[in-house]
Amino acid sequence: MNVPEVAAVDWIGNVDSPGGIMDTVIEHLQLEPFDVSRFMARDTSEIDNAKNIAKHIPYGTLVAFSVFEKPVSSEALILIANQLPPGTMLVVFLSDYVNPMNANIIARYVPAKTAAEFILKIAGHVHKLISMQPEGSRFNPPQLDFPELQLRYVEIENYEPLLDERHAVKLEIDSVDFDFFSDLRSGSRKLVVFGQDAINRDVNPLPYFYRWSWLPQLEASAIILNDPSLYARNDLLAGWWVGTQSRDYVKEAVGIVSKIAGALEIENNDITFFGASAGGYSALAMASCLPGSRAIVDIPQVFLETYGAKVASDASIKAGLNFDSAELVPERYRHRIDLVERFITERWVPDFLYLQNNRDHTHVGAQMGPFIARLGELMSKHRWAQSEFVVEMYSAWNLLKGGHFPLSREVTLRRINEYISSPKAKSRS
């Protein structure tokens, strides 16, 4: 794919009418935080939209995008480009070839047999263009090398947290490896514990630590957990920390978190668990086991029995608990596969922020809706269930993955940093 080279920019802009192809591409790539068009109202005139972009850019430089599904003249493209701020490059995607012969316009002919192919190809062009931005720019954060230091401890009693040096830890507890990535800071009195999304085992061998490269932008100490349930079988995509019949890995992990927090003199109130999808499940489960802590979850599973990818969840249940499906898990183990049952078992509902993509229809209907309803019933009956929680809906659509797609790095880090610095609404005993 021939990708245009664009000098370092701070923003993107969309000069097309609202609801067009470029809006779909920006949503697919989650570029909304960088889109100056969100600060203004757009209409059907590319020229007027270009003029408005010039008025609303907060600072710096931008690249503007436009899509033409019908023939357009060079003169029309030049008129649009002339309305944009000085130094702006206009990148246009065309279904019919035209060469405007203008230094401020990059025109790309996009041949496609179907409308879907046309959109995907444009998304590919934009993604590659953005990924080619200079390292360290807004669009391309500095790339880090995974730290070489890896420490192993045979018993939890021998583990002592190492501060101010990112590293991996393998902590063996009764023959089970609890792996985690450590970024503990001597000056921080807040701790964020990251869970683990579903994983492609063919590409990412265990242990695997999601979002480790995000941590320099996090305003807290952090650890990232690898789910030991995944070691039960090589083909498991997610483990949901189901553990085994004799061992509750959620509670064992919370014991590790408590040891780390105690060594850093961090109170439970300053511990936040974060996770997306399968990691959201473990975040809420662990926060329930550590009263005072909070959780941030994004598109989480909360009930494995009604999870849409039943083959994956049942495989983990079979590998860990030795029951063929979620429906066959007996009452004494229900808290391993059902978050409300976990709350009842621990007699504690944590405070939490629940982020949900409203275009993830399956999770909205089968996970979030019943979860909030059952939680409301608990809160009406029990003092220990009086949680302070917020549900925030957002819209994101991935052209390949659909709606089960979490927030972008920039937005997620901003929400985490905001949440961990916000005061708790009230204290509970």
Side-chain angles (χ1 to χ4, degrees):
M1 182 183 293
N2 187 13
V3 180
E5 294 186 8
V6 177
V9 296
D10 302 296
W11 301 92
I12 63 171
N14 181 2
V15 303
D16 290 345
S17 303
I21 288 176
M22 190 49 61
D23 279 338
T24 300
V25 169
I26 289 171
E27 184 182 29
H28 165 70
L29 297 174
Q30 293 206 33
L31 294 174
E32 291 95 340
F34 309 100
D35 182 12
V36 72
S37 310
R38 65 192 171 97
F39 301 132
M40 65 184 215
R42 302 193 335 261
D43 59 28
T44 58
S45 168
E46 291 88 355
I47 291 177
D48 288 345
N49 292 335
K51 289 179 181 178
N52 275 334
I53 285 176
K55 296 176 183 177
H56 286 87
I57 180 170
Y59 62 86
T61 58
L62 65 86
V63 57
F65 294 103
S66 186
V67 177
F68 291 89
E69 299 178 79
K70 297 180 180 179
V72 61
S73 67
S74 296
E75 291 77 13
L77 297 179
I78 292 170
L79 281 174
I80 297 169
N82 287 343
Q83 310 308 315
L84 292 165
T88 298
M89 184 67 68
L90 174 64
V91 179
V92 294
F93 302 103
L94 309 162
S95 59
D96 292 278
Y97 178 76
V98 63
N99 186 354
M101 298 294 290
N102 186 289
N104 294 323
I105 303 175
I106 296 175
R108 283 293 175 264
Y109 169 53
V110 183
K113 296 180 180 179
T114 66
E117 182 186 6
F118 187 59
I119 297 174
L120 276 172
K121 283 188 173 182
I122 292 172
H125 276 287
V126 175
H127 172 72
K128 289 198 174 183
L129 184 151
I130 294 300
S131 66
M132 291 170 62
Q133 284 288 290
E135 184 176 333
S137 69
R138 288 192 71 205
F139 296 96
N140 190 8
Q143 299 298 307
L144 303 176
D145 293 326
F146 193 83
E148 296 183 0
L149 180 61
Q150 299 188 40
L151 304 177
R152 182 181 180 94
Y153 299 87
V154 176
E155 296 293 342
I156 189 171
E157 290 77 12
N158 298 327
Y159 169 67
E160 293 294 335
L162 173 65
L163 304 183
D164 302 319
E165 184 171 3
R166 298 185 187 98
H167 60 284
V169 177
K170 185 177 289 294
L171 181 58
E172 184 178 323
I173 302 178
D174 296 330
S175 302
V176 173
D177 286 338
F178 286 79
D179 299 277
F180 59 92
F181 185 91
S182 175
D183 183 7
L184 304 176
R185 306 170 190 179
S186 54
S188 175
R189 287 297 176 265
K190 295 183 183 296
L191 176 65
V192 178
V193 182
F194 288 80
Q196 189 175 51
D197 306 17
I199 182 173
N200 185 338
R201 301 288 289 273
D202 295 330
V203 177
N204 301 310
L206 299 179
Y208 188 74
F209 308 111
Y210 272 97
R211 302 175 179 86
W212 71 269
S213 63
W214 296 17
L215 298 185
Q217 284 75 53
L218 185 71
E219 298 170 3
S221 290
I223 60 173
I224 302 175
L225 302 174
N226 175 82
D227 185 354
S229 298
L230 291 170
Y231 288 121
R233 266 175 39 184
N234 292 331
D235 61 343
L236 297 181
L237 303 179
W240 293 277
W241 291 78
V242 297
T244 67
Q245 289 193 14
S246 61
R247 299 182 64 173
D248 187 342
Y249 289 165
V250 165
K251 295 187 76 70
E252 293 189 44
V254 168
I256 297 171
V257 172
S258 295
K259 181 177 177 66
I260 293 171
L264 273 62
E265 299 182 349
I266 295 176
E267 302 291 334
N268 287 2
N269 286 355
D270 290 318
I271 299 173
T272 302
F273 293 88
F274 170 83
S277 195
Y281 183 93
S282 63
L284 282 168
M286 291 181 187
S288 178
C289 295
L290 193 64
S293 67
R294 298 190 285 181
I296 305 172
V297 297
D298 192 356
I299 57 169
Q301 288 94 57
V302 290
F303 309 125
L304 298 192
E305 189 168 348
T306 56
Y307 178 42
K310 186 170 176 54
V311 172
S313 55
D314 282 352
S316 295
I317 290 168
K318 176 64 175 178
L321 300 177
N322 200 30
F323 302 106
D324 289 334
S325 69
E327 292 82 0
L328 298 176
V329 175
E331 188 66 28
R332 66 182 180 277
Y333 298 118
R334 297 297 296 181
H335 64 288
R336 307 286 192 89
I337 66 166
D338 184 315
L339 277 180
V340 172
E341 293 300 324
R342 170 68 73 174
F343 297 161
I344 293 171
T345 298
E346 304 300 334
R347 295 183 61 80
W348 190 259
V349 180
D351 295 348
F352 61 88
L353 170 62
Y354 196 119
L355 305 169
Q356 179 61 56
N357 187 343
N358 60 24
R359 301 185 72 174
D360 184 2
H361 304 301
T362 301
H363 275 64
V364 170
Q367 299 287 316
M368 186 192 77
F371 175 69
I372 299 302
R374 288 179 60 188
L375 185 56
E377 294 176 4
L378 274 188
M379 294 178 70
S380 69
K381 296 177 181 177
H382 304 289
R383 182 177 178 82
W384 51 260
Q386 303 306 305
S387 167
E388 293 286 345
F389 68 88
V390 175
V391 176
E392 289 187 6
M393 306 295 290
Y394 62 91
S395 177
W397 183 258
N398 185 281
L399 294 169
L400 300 175
K401 299 179 181 178
H404 189 63
F405 196 70
L407 289 169
S408 66
R409 169 180 177 150
E410 176 163 308
V411 176
T412 300
L413 281 167
R414 185 176 72 242
R415 295 301 289 115
I416 294 175
N417 286 330
E418 289 172 349
Y419 191 73
I420 64 178
S421 64
S422 65
K424 296 195 68 167
K426 64 181 181 179
S427 59
R428 292 187 284 156
S429 59

